[in-house]
Amino acid sequence: MAVGPATDATVYEPVPFWARIPHGVWLKEATSVAVDSEDRVYVFNRGNMPVLVLDRDGHVVDMWGNDTPFAGTEVFEDPYGNAMPRWRGCRVQRAHAITVDHEDHLWLVDDIGNRITKTDRKGNTLLTLGTGRPSGFQSGEPFNRPTDVAISPLTGDVFVSDGYGNSRIHRYDARGTHLMSWGGPGTDVGRFSLPHGVALFGDDAVIVCDRENHRVQVFSLDGAFRTCWHAHKAVAVCAGRGADTHVYVAEQGPAPVQRGVPGLGHKIQIYDREGRRVTHFGAELPGEAPEQFNWLHSVAVDSEGSVYAAEVSYTEVGSRLTPPRELVSLRKWRRASG
C-alpha cells in the first residue's frame, strides 16, 4: 500500500541481513540502488555481476551484466588495474549510478567510461549518451566523469549531473539530443563543487546534491535557481513515491581530519519540498551495525515507504583495512510506523 509523507513521529527500523546474495556472487560494493514500479530493487555494483534484481524481501530474482557469470574469463582491466566484467551491450569501467524511469527503463552511469546507458529491465541497450571519451576538464561539455541521471516522467527529458571532472547539469530530450547545460565551478548559487546526485520532484523541479558545497540546490527544468539548503556532504537524493511528496537526501561522513567526530553525516535526511527537515535516521558514528552507515552513495524508496541505501564502503573503508575486505554496502530500512 502506498504511503504518504513521513512526519517527525515516523519510525524507520533497519532490516538486518536483508539482502540474500547467492553463493558465488560478490558485490565488492553496491554503488547505487533504484526501485521500479513493482518494488523490485536494482543494485548496481562493482563485483562480478554488475546488476542484481531483488524483491522486497531481499531475494535475488534476476541478475545480469556478465554473460559468463562466475567464470572470471570475460573481463578487462579498468584504468586502476581492477578486473571488471563485460556486460550486455557495452563495457562498464566503473559502476556509479542506476535510475529507474517512469517506464521501468534503467539508466546506468559509468563515470570513468563517460557514458550513460538506457536499458530495458533485462539489460538490453536502448540508448547511449556520451562517446566514452572525456570532455575537457571543467570545460562544461558532456561528459567528464558523470555521476547521476534523472528522467522527467512528463517529457522523457534526461538530466545528467556531470560531476567529478565537470560542474554542470546537462539536459537532453528523450531521443538523446543535448538541449542545454547549466552550472559551473564555484560556491555561489547556481554553481557547483561536485554535483553528485540529481532527481526530479513535482512536475518542474530539479534537485542537485552539490556535494562539496554541503548543500542541495533546487532549479527549474530550465536551470533557473530556486532555493538551496544545507546538507552535510549531500551525495544522493530521491523523491518519494506517489503521495509521498518528501525528498530523501543521503549524507556522507566528514573529511579525514574529523573522522570519529560524532554527528557529522552518515545519515539519511528527509525534507519537505521547501527544505524543512522532517526526520532522519542513521547512527552518530559509522560502522557495520544495522543502525549505522559506513559511506553512503545512493538512496531509493519503494511504495511502502521503505528506504534502500547503497554505500561505497569498500572504497572508503574496506580497502584500507589490513587485510582489505568487503564490508556491508547494501541496506534496507523499513518504515515501521507513521
Side-chain angles (χ1 to χ4, degrees):
M1 177 183 295
V3 297
T7 71
D8 58 4
T10 300
V11 174
Y12 291 88
E13 295 179 345
V15 183
F17 312 113
W18 167 73
R20 294 165 168 82
I21 308 300
H23 179 71
V25 176
W26 50 276
L27 296 177
K28 185 176 181 180
E29 57 190 1
T31 66
S32 189
V33 62
V35 181
D36 72 11
S37 64
E38 298 178 18
D39 282 349
R40 287 172 294 202
V41 182
Y42 296 81
V43 181
F44 204 20
N45 67 88
R46 293 172 180 165
N48 66 341
M49 187 58 66
V51 178
L52 301 179
V53 189
L54 287 72
D55 63 19
R56 280 189 300 224
D57 295 322
H59 299 105
V60 173
V61 296
D62 197 5
M63 60 178 78
W64 49 265
N66 186 349
D67 291 332
T68 56
F70 321 140
T73 56
E74 292 296 318
V75 300
F76 69 99
E77 287 193 351
D78 73 9
Y80 300 100
N82 298 309
M84 303 296 289
R86 300 177 189 272
W87 62 290
R88 204 173 291 129
C90 66
R91 295 177 176 181
V92 172
Q93 289 184 253
R94 198 168 80 146
H96 197 270
I98 187 168
T99 296
V100 178
D101 69 19
H102 54 290
E103 297 178 315
D104 279 346
H105 293 134
L106 309 179
W107 298 75
L108 299 105
V109 179
D110 178 350
D111 69 320
I112 291 177
N114 294 290
R115 279 196 185 92
I116 289 90
T117 304
K118 177 185 179 181
T119 77
D120 63 18
R121 291 189 293 189
K122 293 293 184 180
N124 299 301
T125 298
L126 304 176
L127 177 70
T128 300
L129 302 179
T131 64
R133 298 183 299 275
S135 61
F137 180 73
Q138 296 296 336
S139 68
E141 298 297 320
F143 300 113
N144 195 310
R145 299 195 62 195
T147 51
D148 200 10
V149 62
I151 317 300
S152 167
L154 297 181
T155 64
D157 284 1
V158 183
F159 297 82
V160 179
S161 55
D162 189 20
Y164 287 111
N166 236 328
S167 301
R168 300 296 196 282
I169 301 298
H170 306 294
R171 181 179 176 181
Y172 292 79
D173 69 16
R175 296 179 299 276
T177 301
H178 180 245
L179 300 176
M180 63 174 296
S181 301
W182 74 83
T187 59
D188 292 342
V189 296
R191 296 273 174 163
F192 303 112
S193 179
L194 211 170
H196 194 275
V198 62
L200 273 64
F201 64 84
D203 293 334
D204 62 349
V206 181
I207 185 168
V208 179
C209 288
D210 189 6
R211 193 180 82 179
E212 300 306 311
N213 279 328
H214 291 272
R215 66 187 179 186
V216 295
Q217 297 195 66
V218 181
F219 302 89
S220 72
L221 300 183
D222 294 323
F225 173 79
R226 290 184 175 173
T227 188
C228 66
W229 63 81
H230 172 79
H232 187 280
K233 213 161 186 186
V235 67
V237 60
C238 72
R241 304 268 295 274
D244 179 5
T245 55
H246 286 343
V247 175
Y248 298 72
V249 178
E251 295 183 336
Q252 288 184 341
V257 71
Q258 288 188 297
R259 295 279 170 89
V261 177
L264 298 178
H266 302 298
K267 291 181 173 63
I268 291 176
Q269 309 277 4
I270 303 175
Y271 298 89
D272 67 18
R273 292 183 179 181
E274 284 68 51
R276 293 183 290 262
R277 192 178 78 172
V278 176
T279 189
H280 68 276
F281 54 90
E284 292 293 284
L285 288 170
E288 289 192 273
E291 71 277 7
Q292 293 176 303
F293 294 112
N294 254 319
W295 207 255
L296 282 160
H297 199 255
S298 176
V299 61
V301 182
D302 69 16
S303 66
E304 295 180 336
S306 292
V307 181
Y308 303 86
E311 305 179 77
V312 287
S313 54
Y314 181 81
T315 296
E316 294 294 335
V317 183
S319 62
R320 304 176 189 186
L321 300 177
T322 305
R325 68 177 178 88
E326 180 174 334
L327 304 180
V328 176
S329 64
L330 180 61
R331 303 180 191 262
K332 176 177 180 174
W333 289 65
R334 181 175 65 90
R335 184 165 167 171
S337 65

